[in-house]
Amino acid sequence: MAGITWRCQEITIRYHRAFILGMICLWTAMIFGSNGLVAAPLDELPLDRWKDLRETERYQMQIAEKYYREQNWKIAAGEYEKFITLHEKSSGSAFAQMKWSICQVRLKKLNTAIKDGFQSVIDYWPESPDAMVSAYYIGHTYKDMGEIKQAKKAYQQVLQKYPKASVAAYAAVDLIDLATLEDDKQTLNTLWKKLTFDTERTNDTRSICENASRQYASHSLYHGGSKKAAKSLSTTYVETSQLVDQLVVLSIQAINQLMQDEKNRTQAEKLADDAINHVRGAMPADISTPEQKLFSQNCWFAIARLYDATKRPEQSDETYKLTLEKLGRNDEILAEYARWRKTQGKYEEARQLYASYENKIEGLSQIAYSFREQQKWPEAIAVYQQLAGMDAERQFDWLSQAASTHRQAHEWMQAINIYQELMAKDADRADSWLWEIAYTYRISGQYKEAIGYYRQCNNFPGNYQEMAICHRALKEYGEAIVLYNQIVGTDENWAPWAMIQIGYTREEAEQTEQAIKAFQQVCKRFPKNQYASQAHAHLQTKYKITVTLGGAKDE
Amino acid sequence: MLPSLSRIRSNIDTITASVLAVWMVAIADWFLTKRLPAVVTALFMLAAVGYLGRLAFQTSRQPIRAIRTLNLQLSALFIVTWPFVVWVLDMLELREASAIFARWGTGGLFCIGLAWFVWGMELASQRFERMRHQRDTNLPRSWHPLDVRAWYYGERSPKLRQSLAGLLSYSLMFLFALLLFSQLSGCQELYEMPAGGGEQQTVAQTVKLQKIIKKKFVVNPFSAILFKVPPIDEIKLQLTEITKHAYTVGYGQGEGAGYAGGTKQGKVRFIRIEYAGGDWDQDFGVGSDLNMLMEYGLRTNQPVNSHTESRTIEQLKNFPVGSSPPFVFMTGQGSISLSSAQVKILREYLDEKHGMLFIDNGGSGHFHNQVLAMMRNVLPQVRPTPIPLDDIIHRVPFQIPFLPYVAPHGGKEALGWRVDGRLVCYYHPGDIADAWADDHAGVPPEIWEACYQLGTNVINYAHAEYSKWLVSRGAAKK
């Protein structure tokens, strides 16, 4: 069923939340660290500087800031320029000049921004905090232009002139990005170390330093430096549990990378063993409190995953058994163990574990999902029916899952019957069930019935799009075009798409001239849209027509 | 005891064969591998020139002159001397002189070959005539082309027809041999930029209003004679717009529009790259490239080639460092499939030969990804960046305030790959070549005009950067 997430999937994912969250955090931090999102706090005037402005200055600055926030760069640049002209002696002039330069960057005039903007801030207001920020922006703008040498020079100047400022950390991040591209390991190491161990962690620089510590740890792990990695991570993660989590996540990444080449197997196993020893060392001896028990459980899971990453299934199996023995049976351990068994292709054994769940409903839903994974549709449906009988609260969800499974098994009528039953019983979600019925009719090739149900749906233009598809399948091209035209007239976001569909429909109807006109209309009316590109290429390739009537300019 | 004449001749033949073999080794190395040190190549070539020169001199001093032998020796002397001179000039990096000698030498070779061909044909024709006289004059007409009485030469002026047929056959053979020779991978090809100079500034059009005051006769209004006097302020204004470029388009100190590193016979050429996997020849030739080349000539006053060309990636290797095309054009809408050898040639062209790729997306998002992937292979350490609107490539000679495109196949921003501050690749995402076509793809005049201007800017940028490099290379050598 489109739009409905499978409950059983959620259940599986829940048990791996810690692992996945760790990964997401790491990657998010890496992405954020490497890109220029650092610009956000730099282009704002601090409150203490606002209060230094006179009333008229504040008024003018606010106007400029308003346009800046609205991304109306041309007008904003004009307003900042006006500020500088009117209040040349003001303390806000340097800031206005810097913001004018940022507007130039947004207007794709990067050279102007550097030479007439940022450089002017440094030349005329060398003591102002904006000079420091402008120095960083010069490097950043050069980097955006691909002028790597100039960018590096500018960043180095920032590092030398303002080593304690947050812009130095931003400059280091950009230098790391360039060094990564050039595979300059020495520079990378130096900068990571500097950010991890030497840079003061303020609100502005904390995320950068934390990210650097992770990157340095990751790099150290690739080169067999588990201790270095742990030391690096310890600057960011004070709590043992967090430190262990991160170390395991990074170790598994490195192991996966190393295991791609059989030659590195020994190195990968050594890395895994080091990490396992570290985890064992951190594991609490006393598991009397729930927190300690949970940490201990996570440690066992980490050990099993490390064995799994180095393809040592016997040890993984042994570890899971040991976990059950040491910590007792609980659904979380069983879920993790069953997940691992499924990765080994042992579905029956996994289902035995699900069957022994304390929470029977969850266990059954996992069993049903595992049947679906194996494409054993009747078994899955039977379990869903059993669940619908057992769990009155979520009865409709289980029935919907059963219908969805019928649909996967191409048992259209059974699926439709269940959806109709749901429509009658679950009036609150009638629209959703109606859509599912229509969709099932459409994919089963019963277009007329599908159109009937789509007509009752309210989600314009989705239902019109689907109806048009059905009409085209029935070769009722006129009706399809009418529907597309209604989309063109009503929804400007979908208009280019609908227009090009008219062209394709005319083509199917062998109305070549009208099809060509429709494609040309797409180019003419929406020259900046991606569908204009599609229509242009189609006219040239299929009809050898070069006059496509498009053309636009990007200002 | 004196050696016999036949033994002396045999010795001479052996030495000649050895000298020619060594000469051929030198030539083959020059064209194909370039592995021999320059001194060895020079020695090999010089040996052939010296030896053949001495032989010819000896023959000319003989009491009974063997004209045919002498001619043969002189012809061989020309054949070995001409490449030697070209090679020396090439080594001295005198490209212009080298190109002139190469051209004139080819002409000379054609003439010498033609003379020998005519001589041989005449000899064969006379033999047929003699045979006919000795046997029977009423022999049936033959098929042999060397026989002047061959039936297809007809009754009237058979000699003239045979000569014409001979000339035509020889010319075709020569042309074919030349084409074959030029296809050899080691065969060099030169790209010569037009000589001249210019400034790297935006075109500033000055519009002057010329006021022409009609001549007036001041007449005494109190005169006794009656005149029709025109009012004093009736001035006929003839407004003429004088629009001219404030400077010449190009780079350097030379006279006229052109480039400091150019040659007198140099021209701006438009070379398209042939690649496998897609449609490299989209709008090729008269349709689009030629229009752009002609417009470039009109807008810059620089000499341009009369036709457009295409080369395979392998052929880019034939251009020597310092005389390779400042830019090559690439377009299409399908896939781009390059071998690792081709990737290496492209890298060498962009890096060592200071070339530039001008890529235009001819019609798909797929081609956009293909270009990015190709460039990732060619220049793995360079990341594409959007080219600012105030970059020199968007300002000189024409100010481009916006990026014009026909359809946004690969986005709406021009991307550039820079090496040491120089753009080595300019990628236009929106089918600029379609706007250059005769029908301009039906886009508004403002757009196709901007497309021509942008094309002019890119071509000029590539040539100016190439010229700067040539000049700096020359200065560094000095």
Side-chain angles (χ1 to χ4, degrees):
Chain A
M1 188 167 84
I4 294 181
T5 51
W6 291 351
R7 176 69 187 157
C8 31
Q9 253 178 324
E10 283 173 19
I11 293 162
T12 313
I13 288 165
R14 207 178 66 184
Y15 293 118
H16 312 125
R17 196 177 291 157
F19 183 75
I20 291 163
L21 273 179
M23 294 288 284
I24 290 169
C25 288
L26 180 73
W27 286 112
T28 314
M30 281 183 175
I31 292 160
F32 275 62
S34 62
N35 284 339
L37 292 185
V38 287
L42 292 180
D43 64 355
E44 280 171 22
L45 191 66
L47 279 176
D48 56 332
R49 287 181 68 193
W50 271 106
K51 73 175 185 218
D52 291 343
L53 300 182
R54 287 181 298 151
E55 187 62 38
T56 50
E57 291 168 1
R58 212 175 295 149
Y59 177 74
Q60 179 59 35
M61 186 67 89
Q62 271 170 349
I63 291 173
E65 290 285 90
K66 176 183 163 281
Y67 286 114
Y68 183 87
R69 278 194 300 275
E70 288 170 3
Q71 302 191 348
N72 201 337
W73 312 115
K74 242 182 200 172
I75 299 175
E79 294 298 333
Y80 286 122
E81 207 171 341
K82 202 190 282 180
F83 182 96
I84 300 162
T85 315
L86 294 172
H87 316 290
E88 201 184 332
K89 305 277 179 199
S90 161
S91 61
S93 289
F95 179 75
Q97 180 72 32
M98 192 186 79
K99 292 295 287 271
W100 177 87
S101 315
I102 296 172
C103 291
Q104 296 306 313
V105 171
R106 302 293 189 170
L107 290 166
K108 297 179 190 170
K109 293 179 179 173
L110 277 68
N111 290 292
T112 312
I114 293 172
K115 284 165 191 159
D116 300 343
F118 297 127
Q119 193 57 51
S120 301
V121 179
I122 297 168
D123 294 342
Y124 292 106
W125 298 279
E127 301 304 321
S128 116
D130 303 308
M132 185 173 70
V133 178
S134 294
Y136 164 72
Y137 269 127
I138 288 177
H140 196 72
T141 313
Y142 272 130
K143 183 171 166 261
D144 285 349
M145 284 164 68
E147 298 273 12
I148 304 301
K149 269 189 187 170
Q150 307 261 47
K152 278 185 185 172
K153 202 173 144 192
Y155 286 136
Q156 289 298 347
Q157 277 178 358
V158 174
L159 289 177
Q160 278 169 10
K161 266 188 166 177
Y162 316 105
K164 300 278 176 200
S166 56
V167 286
Y170 300 151
V173 169
D174 284 0
L175 280 170
I176 285 172
D177 187 33
L178 295 176
T180 310
L181 190 69
E182 291 168 359
D183 201 23
D184 180 357
K185 295 219 164 57
Q186 199 185 342
T187 310
L188 281 173
N189 263 323
T190 314
L191 292 168
W192 280 333
K193 272 189 202 170
K194 186 181 157 64
L195 287 172
T196 307
F197 301 111
D198 305 334
T199 306
E200 192 191 343
R201 300 191 183 193
T202 61
N203 283 341
D204 292 338
T205 60
R206 182 162 292 114
S207 66
I208 291 170
C209 296
E210 287 176 357
N211 185 40
S213 75
R214 280 187 291 264
Q215 285 179 320
Y216 183 56
S218 180
H219 172 80
S220 303
L221 286 168
Y222 276 111
H223 296 88
S226 298
K227 279 185 186 167
K228 265 190 198 173
K231 192 182 166 194
S232 172
L233 288 174
S234 65
T235 59
T236 300
Y237 302 100
V238 183
E239 278 185 36
T240 319
S241 60
Q242 286 180 328
L243 180 66
V244 168
D245 273 352
Q246 280 303 317
L247 192 70
V248 170
V249 166
L250 294 177
S251 297
I252 288 174
Q253 264 179 26
I255 290 165
N256 288 340
Q257 192 77 30
L258 288 167
M259 288 295 283
Q260 282 175 9
D261 190 350
E262 192 56 30
K263 284 180 207 161
N264 300 327
R265 193 185 173 89
T266 322
Q267 195 190 339
E269 281 180 1
K270 190 183 172 299
L271 181 58
D273 291 341
D274 284 349
I276 289 167
N277 286 338
H278 192 97
V279 175
R280 280 189 203 279
M283 208 185 282
D286 176 23
I287 50 168
S288 51
T289 63
E291 290 80 19
Q292 284 166 333
K293 197 175 175 185
L294 183 68
F295 178 43
S296 179
Q297 182 179 297
N298 286 339
C299 287
W300 283 113
F301 288 171
I303 292 168
R305 282 199 203 110
L306 284 161
Y307 280 131
D308 195 35
T310 44
K311 298 196 171 62
R312 291 184 279 187
E314 292 82 17
Q315 279 96 325
S316 290
D317 195 38
E318 197 59 40
T319 310
Y320 284 120
K321 280 177 183 160
L322 210 61
T323 315
L324 285 170
E325 195 184 297
K326 299 254 181 196
L327 305 176
R329 293 177 87 85
N330 72 46
D331 285 358
E332 281 187 22
I333 299 173
L334 290 173
E336 180 67 11
Y337 193 11
R339 179 200 63 81
W340 178 78
R341 279 186 170 174
K342 282 202 292 185
T343 62
Q344 302 299 307
K346 296 172 183 172
Y347 278 86
E348 276 309 319
E349 291 177 29
R351 279 193 279 271
Q352 282 170 14
L353 291 172
Y354 289 134
S356 60
Y357 261 32
E358 203 175 315
N359 183 343
K360 293 291 167 201
I361 303 286
E362 293 288 344
L364 279 174
S365 79
Q366 287 295 334
I367 289 171
Y369 180 60
S370 73
F371 278 129
R372 282 175 83 169
E373 281 180 312
Q374 285 187 294
Q375 300 191 347
K376 291 184 175 176
W377 315 120
E379 289 88 342
I381 292 162
V383 177
Y384 283 130
Q385 296 286 7
Q386 189 187 344
L387 277 165
M390 281 169 71
D391 186 6
E393 202 179 314
R394 285 157 60 200
Q395 184 194 15
F396 303 140
D397 291 336
W398 301 124
L399 283 174
S400 142
Q401 290 295 339
S404 171
T405 314
H406 273 303
R407 204 160 60 187
Q408 278 184 303
H410 292 198
E411 294 163 0
W412 314 117
M413 284 323 293
Q414 287 93 324
I416 289 166
N417 287 341
I418 295 178
Y419 284 129
Q420 277 174 336
E421 185 191 334
L422 281 168
M423 215 166 74
K425 288 180 180 171
D426 186 15
D428 291 347
R429 285 189 281 172
D431 273 352
S432 174
W433 307 131
L434 210 56
W435 181 265
E436 292 302 334
I437 293 168
Y439 178 67
T440 313
Y441 272 125
R442 180 166 88 69
I443 58 170
S444 66
Q446 299 174 67
Y447 299 112
K448 287 213 164 142
E449 290 79 357
I451 292 168
Y453 278 96
Y454 277 129
R455 202 167 280 142
Q456 296 172 53
C457 294
N458 296 321
N459 52 342
F460 179 84
N463 59 339
Y464 272 48
Q465 289 166 345
E466 294 289 328
M467 279 156 70
I469 290 169
C470 295
H471 280 301
R472 277 166 74 174
L474 289 167
K475 298 192 176 177
E476 296 167 355
Y477 301 115
E479 284 83 346
I481 290 166
V482 168
L483 291 168
Y484 286 134
N485 271 323
Q486 284 180 358
I487 297 173
V488 171
T490 324
D491 192 324
E492 62 179 30
N493 292 329
W494 282 98
W497 174 85
M499 188 72 94
I500 203 167
Q501 292 304 323
I502 290 173
Y504 288 129
T505 313
R506 296 265 187 214
E507 209 170 80
E508 283 169 29
E510 293 175 359
Q511 299 165 354
T512 310
E513 265 185 42
Q514 284 158 304
I516 291 168
K517 273 184 192 164
F519 289 125
Q520 284 179 329
Q521 278 296 306
V522 180
C523 296
K524 198 174 179 179
R525 284 180 60 180
F526 314 103
K528 294 187 178 187
N529 195 281
Q530 52 157 329
Y531 291 109
S533 158
Q534 206 175 315
H536 174 86
H538 191 71
L539 280 167
Q540 284 195 327
T541 320
K542 179 143 189 180
Y543 300 104
K544 310 289 173 209
I545 288 174
T546 52
V547 182
T548 57
L549 305 174
K553 53 192 181 182
D554 189 43
E555 282 178 275
Chain B
M1 202 177 133
L2 285 167
S4 68
L5 194 67
S6 63
R7 201 171 157 193
I8 293 169
R9 187 167 287 171
S10 159
N11 280 347
I12 289 173
D13 287 349
T14 315
I15 296 168
T16 312
S18 312
V19 167
L20 285 177
V22 164
W23 177 80
M24 282 178 82
V25 167
I27 291 288
D29 176 70
W30 177 29
F31 276 90
L32 300 171
T33 58
K34 288 196 175 80
R35 283 191 185 161
L36 285 176
V39 184
V40 178
T41 313
L43 273 177
F44 281 10
M45 286 190 177
L46 209 57
V49 173
Y51 178 73
L52 286 171
R54 190 168 164 268
L55 267 187
F57 180 70
Q58 279 175 349
T59 313
S60 69
R61 295 294 293 268
Q62 276 177 10
I64 306 159
R65 288 185 182 178
I67 298 292
R68 198 192 304 168
T69 316
L70 182 63
N71 283 341
L72 199 66
Q73 285 166 348
L74 285 174
S75 302
L77 184 64
F78 176 84
I79 291 170
V80 296
T81 311
W82 160 58
F84 176 64
V85 175
V86 174
W87 180 82
V88 169
L89 292 171
D90 216 26
M91 285 294 119
L92 296 171
E93 299 223 347
L94 298 168
R95 303 277 184 217
E96 196 176 348
S98 164
I100 291 168
F101 264 88
R103 245 174 259 138
W104 282 100
T106 314
L109 193 67
F110 178 82
C111 294
I112 290 169
L114 185 64
W116 282 105
F117 187 82
V118 169
W119 176 77
M121 206 166 69
E122 182 58 29
L123 211 69
S125 180
Q126 281 175 11
R127 190 174 290 165
F128 273 105
E129 282 299 297
R130 267 202 307 277
M131 276 166 62
R132 192 163 273 114
H133 278 291
Q134 281 166 6
R135 291 178 190 176
D136 184 3
T137 43
N138 292 327
L139 275 173
R141 294 194 153 211
S142 73
W143 279 81
H144 205 292
L146 294 175
D147 183 2
V148 78
R149 299 278 181 93
W151 65 268
Y152 41 80
Y153 291 139
E155 289 291 335
R156 289 175 62 190
S157 337
K159 192 74 186 165
L160 176 69
R161 289 181 181 180
Q162 190 193 28
S163 304
L164 285 174
L167 178 68
L168 191 70
S169 322
Y170 169 76
S171 304
L172 285 174
M173 280 192 294
F174 189 85
L175 196 71
F176 179 71
L178 206 67
L179 278 174
L180 201 70
F181 198 60
S182 66
Q183 290 302 309
L184 286 175
S185 68
C187 188
Q188 282 198 345
E189 192 183 355
L190 299 179
Y191 184 99
E192 294 166 281
M193 294 191 295
E199 299 100 59
Q200 287 203 286
Q201 281 178 16
T202 306
V203 165
Q205 287 188 322
T206 53
V207 179
K208 283 184 185 169
L209 291 178
Q210 197 177 27
K211 192 158 77 174
I212 297 171
I213 300 169
K214 200 179 171 186
K215 279 184 185 172
K216 288 179 297 208
F217 299 96
V218 179
V219 180
N220 181 5
F222 304 109
S223 167
I225 308 159
L226 186 66
F227 281 101
K228 193 186 175 191
V229 183
I232 199 85
D233 57 345
E234 192 184 289
I235 297 165
K236 190 184 177 191
L237 279 177
Q238 190 184 339
L239 300 177
T240 311
E241 279 193 0
I242 305 169
T243 308
K244 64 169 186 179
H245 292 313
Y247 68 97
T248 49
V249 179
Y251 175 79
Q253 299 295 324
E255 272 183 34
Y259 302 94
T263 58
K264 273 179 196 170
Q265 72 278 3
K267 283 174 181 174
V268 171
R269 288 156 63 182
F270 199 104
I271 300 172
R272 207 182 255 227
I273 280 292
E274 296 175 22
Y275 59 89
D279 48 343
W280 68 269
D281 55 349
Q282 194 190 72
D283 296 335
F284 177 55
V286 179
S288 159
D289 304 12
L290 189 61
N291 286 358
M292 182 60 242
L293 192 60
M294 280 161 54
E295 287 289 334
Y296 180 80
L298 288 172
R299 283 154 203 265
T300 60
N301 283 329
Q302 290 175 10
V304 294
N305 208 3
S306 56
H307 59 277
T308 56
E309 304 153 75
S310 71
R311 295 285 184 282
T312 59
I313 294 172
E314 285 79 6
Q315 283 174 330
L316 279 182
K317 215 176 158 186
N318 297 345
F319 291 98
V321 177
S323 290
S324 57
F327 85 100
V328 286
F329 184 69
M330 190 174 182
T331 188
Q333 59 173 330
S335 303
I336 305 170
S337 168
L338 300 187
S339 67
S340 53
Q342 288 175 324
V343 166
K344 203 177 156 194
I345 294 170
L346 272 181
R347 191 180 301 138
E348 193 182 277
Y349 168 70
L350 298 179
D351 207 8
E352 289 167 29
K353 293 185 177 169
H354 220 75
M356 180 181 176
L357 270 173
F358 181 7
I359 307 177
D360 175 38
N361 188 332
S364 68
H366 172 68
F367 186 76
H368 176 80
N369 296 330
Q370 291 285 305
V371 170
L372 296 185
M374 179 190 82
M375 289 309 292
R376 212 175 295 130
N377 281 335
V378 176
L379 300 169
Q381 294 197 336
V382 184
R383 204 180 272 166
T385 48
I387 302 174
L389 288 172
D390 61 352
D391 194 279
I392 193 161
I393 206 165
H394 286 150
R395 281 191 293 114
V396 175
F398 297 104
Q399 184 82 45
I400 313 282
F402 52 81
L403 187 83
Y405 56 85
V406 174
H409 300 307
K412 295 163 195 168
E413 272 187 319
L415 296 179
W417 282 255
R418 281 178 207 270
V419 173
D420 294 334
R422 179 179 70 93
L423 274 171
V424 295
C425 177
Y426 183 96
Y427 167 66
H428 188 279
D431 228 341
I432 192 172
D434 263 12
W436 298 339
D438 293 339
D439 51 24
H440 309 302
V443 302
E446 183 197 10
I447 303 294
W448 60 255
E449 173 60 24
C451 286
Y452 276 135
Q453 291 186 348
L454 181 55
T456 306
N457 280 14
V458 176
I459 298 172
N460 176 59
Y461 175 87
H463 282 78
E465 286 296 321
Y466 199 80
S467 177
K468 278 181 205 171
W469 177 65
L470 285 183
V471 171
S472 65
R473 269 182 94 215
K477 276 189 180 172
K478 276 175 195 169

